[in-house]
Amino acid sequence: MRAGTGASVRAHLTRLVPAWRPSGERADRLVVLALAMVAFKASNSQFLSQHLPGRTAELANFILEYLAFLIFCVLTALALRRPLASWVVRCRPHRLLAMSPLFAALALLVVLFTAVPPVVGGRQLVDDANAMAVCGARAIAAGADPYRVPEITCLKSLGVSPTLATPLKVGPLKNVAVYPTPTQILAAASSPDQGGLRLFSPLGKPPLTPVAMVPVAGLPLWARTVWTAIPVLVLLLALIFAAGQLWPAAGGLLLLTLFLNGSLVNFAANGNGETFAYALMALSVLWIRRPLLSAVCLALAVGSNQLAWFFAPGYLLLAVEEGQVGRRLVAGSATLVVTVIPWLIRYPDALGIIVGNLRAHTFPLGSGPITLVLGGFVPAPSRTLLLALSAVAMVGIWAWGALAREYRVAASVLILAGFWLSWRSLDEYLAQIPLLALVALFAVLGSRAGSSASDPPLPAAHHPSPR
């Protein structure tokens, strides 16, 4: 038994010896995905408008951002296509991964030198969702209802400017054309509750987000940042194990998502409680071949963040592909019953507020075509129209994956790209796509654990046994 255990440990250590000149299909896919991430970063860049004056430069910048996002989607689909396109294989992109262990070391140094100084100096960015999770956690710890904490009161208690609150298009802000100015927000914040009319969004996240922050709710921001770094570390270690000899490149790419606004690593570096939900979404994909563990992760994510609700259909595409959908549904449902239902019973107004938060008449914000409205180039269209377009896009992407098996994995993660057309296409909605694509590459398109980095993908008809 001991000899067998020792041999197994040695085998695992051997497969983690990094390849200095990696080759094979997975390496090719990883390079294409890295290029997709570069395009994603460009899709949220104001470089042109910041360096050239005038409205023409601003409009040109928007157009370039849209093209970059389209390129990102195309490259992501190519990276996750099954089989990998022959012309991509002929280009041998894996050659760019030479010396990847040095890339991993450089990525780690860059991330440390970028993320640590703000933590030490207390200069991290805290948005209203981040703040409300902390205030909600404090309310839970005090035996109060987290869904009754006023947003303005919460922001002030944490030293965050009320201008970062999420205003609603009601009351004194009802006739604001596009988005309230800081002056208008501050004026509304002086009387955030007019005759029972709520002017700002309350805690709108499912209960597991504030619950996750209870252990550190009373601690300084740096301590909350250390806490939110834990799920990133868990995911990083799991990805390293799944990537085998490609772990330096895969781990380096995960770390460098720090520079993608709204990404898992970016949020963790700012002590944002939503990190737990995004990490759980990624783990549900990375462990897709472990039906029970994967389903539990997704259920916990669903109980933490609404984004997981919209990703669930994409997960279903992967689940049908891998099998044992029934076991996954039972495990996921049981997890929700045990972990979420008690909180909904404890706070009976929670469900109404969470759903109402999705339906609330917010102001437009984000990237995508809505920037033309924010920039004053076109009048604001119907909010319902944009929400409908976003929904149609998601359904279309899901149907594409259901009908075209070669793009099923790509469709499962690109389903979130439908938010790009939405009324509020916030960074964090879109920034999880590169993360999910990265873990899907090794979980679904990679070989079984323990094989080499250059092994071909599993045959289409093969379904590994449950664990």
Side-chain angles (χ1 to χ4, degrees):
M1 178 66 70
R2 290 181 179 178
T5 302
S8 176
V9 171
R10 286 194 297 273
H12 286 307
L13 292 177
T14 299
R15 69 178 291 274
L16 290 178
V17 175
W20 287 84
R21 296 176 62 87
S23 61
E25 186 175 284
R26 282 193 295 174
D28 289 335
R29 293 181 185 276
L30 193 57
V31 172
V32 176
L33 186 57
L35 295 176
M37 291 184 182
V38 173
F40 183 84
K41 178 63 177 178
S43 72
N44 196 16
S45 172
Q46 287 81 45
F47 178 84
L48 194 61
S49 59
Q50 288 176 347
H51 290 80
L52 293 177
R55 300 277 287 171
T56 301
E58 186 179 359
L59 179 59
N61 199 115
F62 289 155
I63 294 174
L64 290 176
E65 286 179 353
Y66 305 160
L67 289 174
F69 187 79
L70 176 61
I71 293 172
F72 160 71
C73 292
V74 171
L75 289 176
T76 299
L78 280 176
L80 301 182
R81 185 182 186 274
R82 180 172 45 193
L84 187 62
S86 58
W87 66 267
V88 174
V89 176
R90 288 195 298 270
C91 290
R92 296 189 295 167
H94 62 263
R95 291 176 294 176
L96 295 177
L97 292 183
M99 310 297 287
S100 59
L102 294 181
F103 164 77
L106 179 61
L108 180 60
L109 289 175
V110 169
V111 168
L112 288 177
F113 279 105
T114 302
V116 172
V119 175
V120 175
R123 302 188 306 272
Q124 295 146 284
L125 300 175
V126 179
D127 62 14
D128 62 330
N130 184 348
M132 289 300 289
V134 174
C135 292
R138 290 178 176 177
I140 292 173
D145 188 340
Y147 293 94
R148 294 184 181 274
V149 177
E151 183 171 29
I152 299 301
T153 302
C154 170
L155 295 180
K156 290 180 178 179
S157 71
L158 294 176
V160 179
S161 172
T163 59
L164 295 180
T166 299
L168 302 179
K169 197 176 177 64
V170 295
L173 301 176
K174 182 176 182 179
N175 296 321
V176 174
V178 178
Y179 200 91
T181 65
T183 301
Q184 290 172 320
I185 293 177
L186 289 174
S190 63
S191 56
D193 189 12
Q194 297 189 346
L197 183 64
R198 182 179 284 136
L199 304 184
F200 295 91
S201 175
L203 173 66
K205 302 298 179 185
L208 295 189
T209 286
V211 167
M213 296 301 290
V214 168
V216 293
L219 300 180
L221 178 55
W222 69 265
R224 301 201 299 268
T225 303
V226 173
W227 177 249
T228 56
I230 293 176
V232 176
L233 180 60
V234 171
L235 177 61
L236 178 62
L237 293 175
L239 178 62
I240 286 174
F241 183 79
Q245 292 182 333
L246 290 175
W247 71 261
L253 280 181
L254 175 61
L255 291 175
L256 289 178
T257 59
L258 170 71
F259 300 100
L260 302 182
N261 294 335
S263 71
L264 166 74
V265 181
N266 183 274
F267 268 23
N270 291 292
N272 196 319
E274 293 178 88
T275 302
F276 288 92
Y278 300 151
L280 286 166
M281 287 169 59
L283 288 171
S284 75
V285 175
L286 190 60
W287 291 333
I288 191 70
R289 286 176 172 157
R290 302 186 179 193
L292 299 183
L293 182 58
S294 173
V296 167
C297 288
L298 181 67
L300 292 175
V302 167
S304 303
N305 194 287
Q306 291 95 325
L307 189 66
W309 304 2
F310 295 92
F311 171 65
Y315 177 87
L316 180 61
L317 286 176
L318 298 178
V320 170
E321 186 84 357
E322 295 297 325
Q324 303 191 54
V325 176
R327 291 186 69 193
R328 297 175 194 272
L329 289 174
V330 171
S333 300
T335 301
L336 287 173
V337 168
V338 172
T339 61
V340 178
I341 297 301
W343 295 106
L344 297 182
I345 295 174
R346 174 68 177 83
Y347 308 117
D349 57 341
L351 187 59
I353 291 177
I354 294 168
V355 175
N357 189 64
L358 292 175
R359 301 170 55 188
H361 200 165
T362 53
F363 289 92
L365 192 64
S367 56
I370 199 65
T371 56
L372 293 175
V373 176
L374 298 174
F377 290 97
V378 298
S382 165
R383 173 176 174 271
T384 303
L385 173 62
L386 291 186
L387 292 176
L389 286 176
S390 183
V392 168
M394 290 182 179
V395 171
I397 294 170
W398 190 90
W400 170 52
L403 297 174
R405 186 179 184 275
E406 62 269 28
Y407 289 108
R408 189 163 297 163
V409 179
S412 70
V413 301
L414 284 173
I415 192 170
L416 296 181
F419 278 112
W420 189 73
L421 297 172
S422 185
W423 181 254
R424 288 177 69 85
S425 51
L426 302 183
D427 294 336
E428 57 264 35
Y429 300 166
L430 303 172
Q432 310 320 313
I433 301 175
L435 171 67
L436 295 171
L438 178 62
V439 295
L441 192 158
F442 292 102
V444 184
L445 299 171
S447 55
R448 296 291 297 274
S451 21
S452 68
S454 58
D455 284 346
L458 289 171
H462 181 82
H463 293 287
S465 58
R467 300 181 184 180

